[in-house]
Amino acid sequence: MELMRSEKPIGTLLLLSPCMWSITMAGFMSSAPLLSTVWMLGVFTVGSFVMRGAGCTINDLLDRNLDNKVARTVERPITSGRVSVKQAVIFLGAQLGVGLAVLLQLPLDCFVLGASSLLLVGTYPLFKRFTYYPQVVLSTCFNWGALLGFPAMGVWNWPVMIPLYLSGFFWCMTYDTIYAHQDKTFDVKAGIKSTALAWGDKSKLIMNTLSVAQISSFALSGYLAGMGPGFAIGTVIGAYRLFDMIRKVDLNNPDNCWYWFKNNINTGHVFFFGIAFDYILRLLGYF
């Protein structure tokens, strides 16, 4: 359980958040029965827990000779010797087996879309060795649920799906850069690259720009989906939380970076509740 970071559910919740947006927005667009939407939210919750855990196992396997050079990761199970490489590989196989079982709960026409993210999930940890932008790769695969939730609910609408996916991508770029600022001192010594090191003192300016792109994409997706007042209110509150976070975070204080990184899950919930409010209104006949 420690290998899959079950004691730190924030990663699972951040992975789940775009899934919740897309499933509920698709439910709104198709007037899907409440039980169908709740069932799919449950399926994606299990999938997010398992696949985030599998990603952590892969990360620890590939980074076992780097984690012992960073104070925050030196006690991780593989690099500390408490779990062997063989044990971790066997456990990874079990995780992927459960992940496959979850994918099989989805309609056949979106199975390929779901499976197509696995290559990036498996190779993401390698990118920080040779590029300062591993966050781009992480953001690409970490928000796949923003695409997958639509066909899982029987909705294929690319004009809505793509901007929602881009919104999650820009969001992940922001919060994972804050996360990376925790370790930048150790990363320099270990030869690990990140946007935190690439952007340095310009990080806040760039994150503000990313957040403008995020909110614009999110609003466009909602507009094209025909969302209502709940979505609008959630978008405004979520935007305020994002820019307030960027203003307040101390990128040279690891504890403060961790605090604001975790705070993103509440922002994700704000966006979700706005969508869910409109979905419930539609089910009640107000749209």
Side-chain angles (χ1 to χ4, degrees), residues 30-102:
S30 61
S31 299
L34 182 61
L35 285 179
S36 298
T37 304
V38 171
W39 162 254
M40 200 54 67
L41 287 170
V43 169
F44 273 69
T45 298
V46 174
S48 295
F49 176 73
V50 172
M51 293 311 297
R52 184 260 181 159
C56 290
T57 303
I58 293 170
N59 182 82
D60 286 10
L61 280 166
L62 295 176
D63 285 356
R64 61 186 182 275
N65 295 321
L66 291 177
D67 283 341
N68 57 5
K69 296 179 174 65
V70 178
R72 185 177 55 82
T73 60
V74 71
E75 287 298 323
R76 284 181 176 172
I78 299 176
T79 195
S80 65
R82 290 178 291 130
V83 174
S84 70
V85 170
K86 180 180 179 181
Q87 288 173 323
V89 170
I90 293 172
F91 181 57
L92 175 61
Q95 289 174 294
L96 293 177
V98 176
L100 176 61
V102 171

Side-chain angles (χ1 to χ4, degrees), residues 11-32:
T12 298
L13 294 173
L14 288 171
L15 179 63
L16 177 61
S17 209
C19 305
M20 296 168 66
W21 303 347
S22 60
I23 291 168
T24 312
M25 189 177 289
F28 171 87
M29 295 172 68
S30 61
S31 299

Side-chain angles (χ1 to χ4, degrees), residues 6 15-16 26 40 42 62 82 92 94 104 136 146 155 175 197 205 222 227 245 256 267 283:
S6 60
L15 179 63
L16 177 61
M40 200 54 67
L62 295 176
R82 290 178 291 130
L92 175 61
L104 291 174
V136 172
V155 175
Y175 68 65
L197 295 177
L205 174 61
M227 302 299 300
M245 170 189 70
N256 192 254
T267 302
L283 291 182

Side-chain angles (χ1 to χ4, degrees), residues 168-241:
F169 175 88
F170 295 131
W171 183 39
C172 188
M173 286 291 295
T174 297
Y175 68 65
D176 202 59
T177 296
I178 292 174
Y179 183 88
H181 270 278
Q182 295 179 100
D183 301 325
K184 57 189 176 184
T185 302
F186 296 98
D187 286 349
V188 170
K189 297 176 182 177
I192 298 172
K193 298 175 173 62
S194 71
T195 49
L197 295 177
W199 296 343
D201 294 339
K202 297 179 181 178
S203 290
K204 288 198 175 189
L205 174 61
I206 296 173
M207 289 191 292
N208 275 315
T209 304
L210 289 170
S211 294
V212 170
Q214 175 193 343
I215 296 303
S216 300
S217 300
F218 190 78
L220 176 61
S221 179
Y223 172 75
L224 295 174
M227 302 299 300
F231 178 87
I233 294 170
T235 302
V236 170
I237 296 174
Y240 170 78
R241 290 180 57 87

